[in-house]
Amino acid sequence: MSVEMRSRQPPVALELDNLFKAYGDVRVVHGISLQIRQGEFISLLGPSGCGKSTTLRMIAGFERPNSGRILVEGKDVTEVPVHKRNLGMVFQNYGLFPHMTVDDNVAYGLKRRGVPAAERRDRVADALRMVRLPDMGKRYPKQLSGGQQQRVALARALVIRPSLLLLDEPLSSLDAKLRVEMREEIRELQRQANVTTVFVTHDQDEALSVSDRIVVMRAGYIEQMDSPEAVYSRPATCFVADFMGEANIVEGVPSIDGGQTHLVHKSGVRLPMAEMEAQSGASATIGIRPEAIRIGHLADDSQGIQAIVEDITYRGAFSMVRCRVSPSLELRAIRMNTSETVEPFAVGDTVRLAWPANAARAI
């Protein structure tokens, strides 16, 4: 990357430098390092217990790292107390004060900072307009729906004009439809405010739909940090491939014959794979997304791998078809359920499975 291109990048808003956290003998975060640029929306994604919420709490100042540094806009805030970090935080349970009106909840951080009353009123009104609740200021949290409470929590976090916006699984208590609506609203609000955001979630769809980059974590380590497309399509590890949606993960030995690369499974089955991903004769692991596999009746397709349908799981717009290729090899393929579907598959049918070679990439 040229000096000119680097100079055009936004400045680093948050840096974690070799951050460790342990509780007694139990290490929760293992020396993670990352940089987040101004205006980026970053998701910390992983299963329960992977260290993502602990990392967020260290950024916020609720937890103190055993070692390492936290820098916000170049300033070391590792030892700075929570109330002096100028961070906006939205909790899983929203954290609204039930005895305060919406106006007072949103104004709380401004009042603590000594903002004059007239300016507080104007900024609270602007924040409530931003979250589309301009007429809700005199209500109490118990009079609001879950989605409205979420918007109030966002308004309270944004009204202080924070250096960072931290979101700790804020959608987990909402129903599925409202979760989708709210994640879109959060992303739009973040863009309007141009605030650097760190979003903790265990939901892959949420992370893929809102993030500029995703940090996939496991057992206190970062497995991969990249764009949503790269994390999904080019996973760096088997864990990432399996965690980010459905994946067929197959081990074998690459074989290059006449310019075509195959992975030879221990059963002898040859699976087309991307060229130049591995050296011939060395063991390798490939990942194939089910949606990349074309499934057809035996008579319909002369190419591909023969398999027997073992199970079909209906999922609305598509069905997941589990196929047995050999006693030791199973592949899952997606079949779309459209109006053009004339002859469905049934358990026990013999089918052919095919995919573009570049859809099977070495991990």
Side-chain angles (χ1 to χ4, degrees):
M1 183 182 296
S2 68
V3 173
E4 181 181 358
M5 289 182 66
R6 284 197 299 269
S7 66
R8 292 176 184 171
Q9 290 186 334
V12 174
L14 172 66
E15 181 175 0
L16 305 184
D17 179 21
N18 202 28
L19 215 58
F20 279 87
K21 180 62 181 178
Y23 299 101
D25 295 331
V26 180
R27 284 192 174 186
V28 181
V29 175
H30 296 262
I32 66 173
S33 296
L34 58 85
Q35 290 185 340
I36 301 173
R37 295 194 173 274
Q38 172 61 44
E40 271 197 296
F41 194 117
I42 299 295
S43 289
L44 303 182
L45 173 68
S48 297
C50 72
K52 57 188 187 294
S53 288
T54 300
T55 300
L56 192 79
R57 290 177 65 80
M58 286 192 286
I59 295 170
F62 296 119
E63 299 281 357
R64 182 179 177 182
N66 295 93
S67 63
R69 298 187 304 157
I70 301 167
L71 293 91
V72 177
E73 297 177 341
K75 178 184 177 183
D76 190 338
V77 300
T78 312
E79 302 297 332
V80 175
V82 178
H83 65 280
K84 293 185 177 180
R85 294 196 184 193
N86 192 36
L87 307 178
M89 184 90 179
V90 179
F91 300 92
Q92 186 171 340
N93 62 356
Y94 315 140
L96 301 179
F97 299 113
H99 63 287
M100 291 184 180
T101 64
V102 167
D103 277 344
D104 289 339
N105 265 285
V106 176
Y108 182 79
L110 297 175
K111 191 173 182 179
R112 288 287 301 270
R113 286 163 172 77
V115 176
E119 183 181 347
R120 285 204 308 268
R121 286 193 296 271
D122 290 342
R123 287 171 64 173
V124 168
D126 288 343
L128 289 178
R129 278 194 292 270
M130 180 183 290
V131 298
R132 298 191 291 115
L133 295 175
D135 303 319
M136 297 288 187
K138 303 309 177 187
R139 296 193 183 185
Y140 288 87
K142 67 181 180 181
Q143 297 173 302
L144 305 178
S145 68
Q148 289 170 334
Q149 291 183 44
Q150 178 66 275
R151 291 190 185 99
V152 174
L154 283 165
R156 184 177 62 182
L158 292 170
V159 75
I160 63 171
R161 298 168 185 166
S163 300
L164 298 173
L165 177 62
L166 308 179
L167 306 170
D168 189 7
E169 304 214 40
L171 307 179
S172 59
S173 62
L174 303 179
D175 63 64
K177 187 173 186 297
L178 189 54
R179 285 177 72 126
V180 173
E181 293 175 1
M182 283 306 305
R183 75 190 187 198
E184 293 172 354
E185 289 197 20
I186 287 173
R187 182 54 164 153
E188 182 58 31
L189 286 170
Q190 185 267 343
R191 285 174 174 151
Q192 288 180 30
N194 192 34
V195 59
T196 309
T197 300
V198 182
F199 178 69
V200 163
T201 181
H202 62 271
D203 187 301
Q204 296 91 336
D205 287 341
E206 282 181 5
L208 288 168
S209 62
V210 301
S211 307
D212 293 313
R213 287 188 292 164
I214 298 174
V215 181
V216 184
M217 297 183 66
R218 179 177 68 150
Y221 293 95
I222 294 177
E223 291 271 323
Q224 185 172 357
M225 181 174 182
D226 216 325
S227 68
E229 190 278 333
V231 168
Y232 187 82
S233 301
R234 298 184 296 279
T237 67
C238 290
F239 172 80
V240 175
D242 191 48
F243 186 74
M244 298 301 299
E246 303 274 358
N248 296 292
I249 298 175
V250 185
E251 297 179 359
V253 177
S255 173
I256 302 174
D257 184 14
Q260 176 63 57
T261 305
H262 289 85
L263 185 82
V264 182
H265 185 255
K266 64 182 180 180
S267 62
V269 176
R270 297 169 62 84
L271 300 106
M273 65 176 287
E275 295 181 10
M276 308 303 293
E277 288 285 348
Q279 294 183 349
S280 181
S283 61
T285 301
I286 62 171
I288 315 169
R289 296 291 182 191
E291 62 267 27
I293 298 179
R294 184 177 72 253
I295 179 170
H297 287 285
L298 196 61
D300 297 339
D301 198 338
S302 59
Q303 297 188 358
I305 296 170
Q306 186 170 311
I308 296 175
V309 176
E310 286 199 334
D311 183 64
I312 302 173
T313 304
Y314 180 78
R315 297 191 183 178
F318 67 92
S319 291
M320 185 67 70
V321 185
R322 182 164 55 84
C323 302
R324 177 64 55 186
V325 179
S326 73
S328 58
L329 179 58
E330 173 186 294
L331 295 176
R332 288 163 293 164
I334 283 178
R335 187 171 195 266
M336 301 306 298
N337 297 320
T338 68
S339 58
E340 298 177 358
T341 301
V342 177
E343 190 179 355
F345 298 104
V347 173
D349 283 357
T350 302
V351 295
R352 285 192 184 276
L353 308 176
W355 57 88
N358 62 6
R361 306 183 68 90
I363 303 173

